[in-house]
Amino acid sequence: MYQEVGNPGVASIDDRAVGADDILVERAQSGDADAYAGLVLRHQEIAFRVAYLIVGDASEAEDATQEAFVKAYYGLRGFRQGAPFRPWLLEIVANQARNQRRGLSRRGAAMLRATVAERAMSPRIGDASLEADVVAREHHREVRLALGKLRDEDRLVIACRYFLELSETEMASALGCPRGTVKSRLSRALERLRSMLEGRDG
Amino acid sequence: MADQLESALFELGREVQFPPTPDVSAPVRRRVTDRTRSVRRWSRVLVPLAAVLVAALLVTGVLAHWPTARDAIAERLGLHGVQVTQVRGLPTATATLDLGQAITLEDAQRRVTYPIQLPAALGAPDVVYFLDLPVGGQVVLAYEPNGDRPRLVLYEFEGSRVGLGKGLSPGTSVEEVSVNGNRGLWINGDPHVVFFVDARGRPQSETTRLAANVLLWENNRLTLRLEGQLARDHAVAIAASTH
């Protein structure tokens, strides 16, 4: 049934996608499990990545994602019609991931550091010249190293903004903080990152 | 500098390789449909089980207070997760239950797997609490006095998963009522005690307390308990508006 209202794989939040969410939410609220599966397909990638940033382990993140979607299904009744679904969902996902992480060691933070440091090995520079390419690569390497040294909270806020490209509202959901404090947390994290970069340069 | 750093971070973000996203749509779909089915299936088993439990308590307790036959009593008190027993003296109880910290309705909803039901007759609650006990969690909706209406508290929990004990003194009466066709119990008169029992049936003493007039009823998976100095018909009307 969900196939009628759009490609489930599309994760963008343009107006059409939001409209499709509204339809799926309404159907799921009336007990349509297929419609809910459609919502899961549309949002599981961002949900999984938010969970992964918090727990730092793919299998734990998968568990958290699945649990969060089941909880969200039963919470749909309290969901206000017409409100954006994604921030609401991400808050449930992040809460679930944080609860699971309490049972883990510090593995989460270590894994995120590894993700940033090891997997960002080949920045795409597009049409830039070879020289610019080398300079950019060097800068990226420095940013990666500095990110690895940041506190977990700072790294998470930066990852949510620049890696997952979450909106302010979605960041508040994922970080579990009021929307009004997102900007200041992000700017403090950037400031610390910048200081680290400048410190190394000097 | 900020722009340069930010664009470097965006670029870096595009290079970060997250683990492949697992497809959880099938297991989630199965779990939400299985749970609905299993609740339906269990409810058919649990109704007679609860009835047997209550009957046993009454037979070993003070059957004299109940003029009807044992089977009729069992039938009459068949509410999920609720045991009602009449006692000669009330145990020590605290006057109020510590409900912990108030949270928003949305937060409460996230902590339980059942849809929270709201009484349309009362509107939005003034304060919402969440309690870990009993198993599955309990949502407490509190309504401040409004005009003629006294302070009211509505408790919601999954009756199929827990036991709620009520000890009645001889001065407390129990009456069967109908709430939208579902069986309910109206308990009034002298104060009675309310406590939850754990998985082994042991009363949790910290939850023992005195209660005012109470209407107990079932709605889908939930057992609901409305408490306050209300007349019976008013309580039933509020219960009937709860969905």
Side-chain angles (χ1 to χ4, degrees):
Chain A
M1 194 173 276
Y2 54 84
Q3 290 91 339
E4 297 170 12
V5 291
N7 175 0
V10 174
S12 76
I13 50 166
D14 63 19
D15 289 345
R16 254 181 60 191
V18 170
D21 275 355
D22 288 346
I23 296 167
L24 292 174
V25 165
E26 194 178 342
R27 289 181 186 172
Q29 279 176 326
S30 60
D32 183 341
D34 287 333
Y36 191 66
L39 277 171
V40 175
L41 281 169
R42 290 168 61 82
H43 298 289
Q44 63 183 358
E45 179 171 288
I46 193 71
F48 172 74
R49 289 182 174 187
V50 165
Y52 180 75
L53 284 178
I54 293 170
V55 299
D57 174 89
S59 134
E60 288 287 341
E62 179 175 353
D63 288 351
T65 307
Q66 191 182 130
E67 281 303 319
F69 273 117
V70 171
K71 283 187 176 169
Y73 178 81
Y74 290 105
L76 268 184
R77 194 177 172 127
F79 179 78
R80 188 165 51 85
Q81 280 277 345
F85 178 73
R86 206 167 94 149
W88 181 81
L89 170 73
L90 291 184
E91 191 168 342
I92 299 174
V93 170
N95 279 338
Q96 181 65 35
R98 270 190 285 274
N99 287 340
Q100 282 189 207
R101 186 176 138 169
R102 285 189 198 120
L104 296 171
S105 59
R106 304 286 294 164
R107 192 170 54 173
M111 289 295 289
L112 177 54
R113 271 197 293 278
T115 303
V116 173
E118 292 170 13
R119 294 190 170 161
M121 296 304 287
S122 54
R124 279 192 303 267
I125 311 298
D127 297 322
S129 69
L130 184 62
E131 188 182 4
D133 189 305
V134 171
V135 170
R137 275 171 189 271
E138 182 57 23
H139 187 233
H140 278 214
R141 193 183 69 83
E142 287 174 359
V143 173
R144 280 196 330 258
L145 288 172
L147 266 177
K149 291 179 182 169
L150 277 183
R151 297 186 311 180
D152 292 351
E153 307 90 272
D154 288 342
R155 201 163 31 246
L156 180 60
V157 70
I158 286 176
C160 283
R161 177 72 193 101
Y162 301 102
F163 296 0
L164 301 185
E165 303 189 20
L166 299 186
S167 71
E168 211 170 284
T169 309
E170 290 165 347
M171 284 178 71
S173 300
L175 300 168
C177 68
R179 191 179 165 187
T181 64
V182 167
K183 271 188 183 159
S184 58
R185 284 180 68 164
L186 180 60
S187 88
R188 277 199 301 272
L190 281 175
E191 202 44 56
R192 281 190 274 269
L193 181 61
R194 193 170 292 121
S195 309
M196 258 175 212
L197 288 165
E198 284 166 358
R200 184 163 38 255
D201 290 341
Chain B
M1 182 65 194
D3 286 348
Q4 196 188 344
L5 178 57
E6 288 193 278
S7 47
L9 284 167
F10 274 126
E11 266 190 41
L12 198 54
R14 282 176 212 120
E15 301 305 320
V16 169
Q17 292 171 19
F18 283 89
T21 301
D23 185 356
V24 297
S25 63
V28 167
R29 191 191 181 290
R30 190 170 56 244
R31 283 179 64 188
V32 300
T33 46
D34 277 357
R35 191 177 302 201
T36 311
R37 277 191 212 116
S38 73
V39 166
R40 285 195 197 117
R41 194 165 52 235
W42 273 105
S43 64
R44 284 199 288 273
V45 179
L46 285 169
V47 169
L49 274 181
V52 168
L53 181 59
V54 170
L57 279 169
L58 288 167
V59 169
T60 56
V62 279
L63 187 57
H65 287 281
W66 298 87
T68 42
R70 172 180 162 173
D71 288 347
I73 296 166
E75 172 68 21
R76 171 174 176 171
L77 295 180
L79 283 188
H80 281 166
V82 180
Q83 307 164 21
V84 180
T85 183
Q86 202 117 24
V87 294
R88 294 187 192 284
L90 294 175
T92 311
T94 52
T96 55
L97 182 64
D98 179 13
L99 293 172
Q101 203 180 351
I103 60 173
T104 65
L105 189 59
E106 290 73 23
D107 283 342
Q109 184 61 77
R110 275 176 215 121
R111 296 193 190 189
V112 292
T113 56
Y114 53 83
I116 296 174
Q117 301 189 11
L118 296 173
L122 298 179
D126 293 307
V127 194
V128 179
Y129 300 95
F130 172 80
L131 301 175
D132 285 325
L133 202 71
V135 178
Q138 178 176 204
V139 174
V140 184
L141 310 178
Y143 295 85
E144 293 300 329
N146 187 354
D148 294 339
R149 203 204 65 210
R151 183 188 311 276
L152 296 175
V153 186
L154 177 62
Y155 302 79
E156 303 185 3
F157 58 95
E158 283 185 285
S160 56
R161 299 179 65 179
V162 303
L164 166 70
K166 296 180 85 68
L168 309 184
S169 68
T172 310
S173 71
V174 181
E175 183 184 344
E176 187 179 8
V177 294
S178 168
V179 177
N180 290 336
N182 293 323
R183 186 176 290 127
L185 297 175
W186 170 244
I187 302 172
N188 71 336
D190 287 354
H192 61 284
V193 291
V194 175
F195 53 90
F196 284 99
V197 293
D198 67 12
R200 294 182 181 179
R202 293 174 300 203
Q204 304 294 289
S205 57
E206 66 271 24
T207 65
T208 305
R209 68 191 188 95
L210 293 172
N213 292 354
V214 164
L215 177 64
L216 279 158
W217 77 100
E218 287 174 351
N219 199 353
N220 295 327
R221 303 157 58 194
L222 294 189
T223 298
L224 298 96
R225 184 161 62 99
L226 178 66
E227 185 177 329
Q229 292 298 341
L230 279 176
R232 184 195 65 185
D233 291 350
H234 193 177
V236 171
I238 291 170
S241 78
T242 304
H243 300 286

